[in-house]
């Protein structure tokens, strides 16, 4: 029996150092729902979670502690009051929505440090985290049980 050539390895894997550098760079641009939830529960003040969806979606249900800042309204004037020492974590509905990417792009172009939360509200809920509704940002309780994220 002849062994078939690997489809996966038609293009060889990079050297370990190259993989490490690439993955580190990737982590600089992204975060996930579990990490955001941990920081919110711990009261980490260096991040600001930004819901980039239309305000009506924010009112219907958002990540506790997130501010509503629709990406379509982001410009130099509307961001003038934001703290440039913070890191802004953008999110939207999920992987089928690019509002978080649009928001991260606009904030970065305006000189803000940003990370995009992968999976948005969809992955937030998949991990078992709650949403809050209404105009108030709310707060994620530190007493919530561990999330169901399998990567922790």
């Amino acid at each position: 029996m002849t062994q078939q050539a690997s489809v996966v390895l038609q293009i060889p894997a990079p050297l370990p150092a190259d993989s490490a550098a690439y993955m580190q760079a990737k982590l600089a641009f992204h975060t996930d729902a579990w990490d955001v939830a941990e920081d919110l529960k711990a009261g980490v003040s260096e991040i600001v979670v930004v819901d980039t969806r239309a305000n009506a979606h924010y009112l219907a249900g958002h990540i506790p502690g997130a501010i509503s800042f629709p990406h379509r309204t982001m410009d130099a004037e509307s961001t003038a009051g934001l703290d440039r020492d913070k890191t802004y974590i953008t999110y939207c509905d999920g992987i089928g929505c690019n509002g978080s990417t649009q928001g991260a792009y606009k904030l970065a172009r305006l000189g803000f440090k940003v990370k995009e939360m992968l999976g948005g509200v969809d992955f937030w809920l998949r991990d078992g985290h709650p949403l809050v509704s209404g105009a108030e940002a709310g707060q994620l309780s530190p007493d919530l049980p561990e999330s169901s994220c399998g990567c922790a």
Side-chain angles (χ1 to χ4, degrees):
M1 191 180 252
T2 306
Q3 184 175 2
Q4 186 174 348
S6 171
V7 176
V8 172
L9 299 177
Q10 283 179 354
I11 298 174
L15 296 172
D18 293 338
S19 287
Y22 173 78
M23 296 303 166
Q24 181 180 14
K26 191 173 173 180
L27 289 168
F29 293 100
H30 298 106
T31 189
D32 65 12
W34 188 88
D35 291 344
V36 171
E38 289 300 302
D39 278 5
L40 289 173
K41 286 193 281 187
V44 173
S45 62
E46 293 86 7
I47 66 167
V48 176
V49 180
V50 179
D51 187 319
T52 64
R53 303 172 300 160
N55 193 51
H57 291 276
Y58 178 87
L59 293 172
H62 59 272
I63 291 173
I67 64 168
S68 177
F69 199 167
H71 72 87
R72 295 184 192 286
T73 67
M74 293 177 180
D75 59 26
E77 185 178 327
S78 66
T79 61
L82 296 180
D83 185 343
R84 292 187 179 273
D85 293 329
K86 306 278 184 180
T87 297
Y88 292 86
I89 311 302
T90 61
Y91 76 89
C92 57
D93 282 332
I95 61 172
C97 175
N98 72 359
S100 59
T101 306
Q102 295 273 358
Y105 170 72
K106 289 175 181 179
L107 289 171
R109 286 209 24 130
L110 292 164
F112 295 93
K113 296 178 287 185
V114 297
K115 285 192 176 202
E116 183 178 18
M117 189 180 87
L118 299 171
V121 171
D122 183 31
F123 283 19
W124 179 265
L125 292 171
R126 284 185 192 195
D127 281 355
H129 303 301
L131 294 178
V132 294
S133 59
E136 295 298 317
Q139 182 176 339
L140 189 61
S141 171
D143 300 326
L144 286 175
E146 288 297 312
S147 75
S148 61
C149 176
C151 62

